[in-house]
Amino acid sequence: MKRLTLHALFGGTALVCAAFALHSLNALQEAERVNAAITSGGAPEAALPEARFAHALSLNRGGDSETATRAWKALIAGERADLRQAARYNLGNLHLREALAQGENNVSDALPLIELAKQRYRDALRDRPDDWEARYNLERALWLAPEIESAAVAEDEDSQAPRERVVTTLQGVRLDLP
């Protein structure tokens, strides 16, 4: 009886280990497939969302902001919640970097980009309120272009000339992103 119990216990343990090994092998093959799709260039028509994310990231780093914006928006419209979150954050960063690149020469062009960045960070925080990087970058964007109440704007326009809101005139503000 002891021998039969011992063999049954050993057989059950062997089956559990075999199932775990098969699961690990399947996960490894999936990871290799994703890595192969990413290293092949991550074409936008790729079936894997990870490859499309890698493509958008390479466009973003390469300086092609218009195509990168389209790629990030396609990922935001996708099914994967984790990639949607990261795409919102990265699109906000793209808009904020473009606004910072405008500098004080084109403040009228930089402010809409800052507003777009703030909206993307808010969208990211709405889905995941514990995203501290998005919260930090939203704070930086708010330092660059503070929210102004509509009543305060109306008073400001009536009483005095509108204040200049320039990225470089703010004192003690770090312009870098995490």
Side-chain angles (χ1 to χ4, degrees), residues 7-158:
H7 284 295
L9 183 63
F10 179 73
T13 305
L15 284 176
V16 168
C17 289
F20 180 72
L22 285 175
H23 176 70
S24 297
L25 179 65
N26 187 26
L28 177 65
Q29 288 174 343
E30 178 67 19
E32 287 175 349
R33 187 171 69 93
V34 167
N35 287 339
I38 289 172
T39 57
S40 70
E45 63 273 354
L48 292 174
E50 292 89 351
R52 290 195 310 267
F53 187 87
H55 180 68
L57 193 58
S58 68
L59 289 171
N60 195 11
R61 290 181 179 161
D64 189 2
S65 62
E66 187 175 321
T67 310
T69 301
R70 284 195 302 269
W72 290 129
K73 286 182 179 180
L75 282 167
I76 290 170
E79 300 173 2
R80 296 260 312 264
D82 59 337
L83 294 181
R84 269 196 315 264
Q85 177 72 16
R88 285 185 186 112
Y89 174 74
N90 286 329
L91 186 56
N93 285 348
L94 177 69
H95 290 314
L96 196 54
R97 284 191 181 104
E98 285 179 346
L100 292 174
Q102 297 289 329
E104 63 183 69
N105 297 333
N106 294 324
V107 174
S108 61
D109 293 337
L111 286 177
L113 291 170
I114 293 173
E115 293 300 321
L116 287 171
K118 288 192 293 190
Q119 184 59 44
R120 291 302 174 184
Y121 293 138
R122 284 186 181 116
D123 291 343
L125 287 170
R126 199 170 292 121
D127 284 347
R128 226 179 85 205
D130 63 335
D131 188 352
W132 289 104
E133 291 178 350
R135 187 176 302 271
Y136 176 84
N137 287 354
L138 176 61
E139 182 181 339
R140 294 292 121 213
L142 287 169
W143 271 94
L144 293 173
E147 299 288 320
I148 299 175
E149 297 293 328
S150 58
V153 171
E155 278 183 0
D156 207 21
E157 289 175 352
D158 293 338

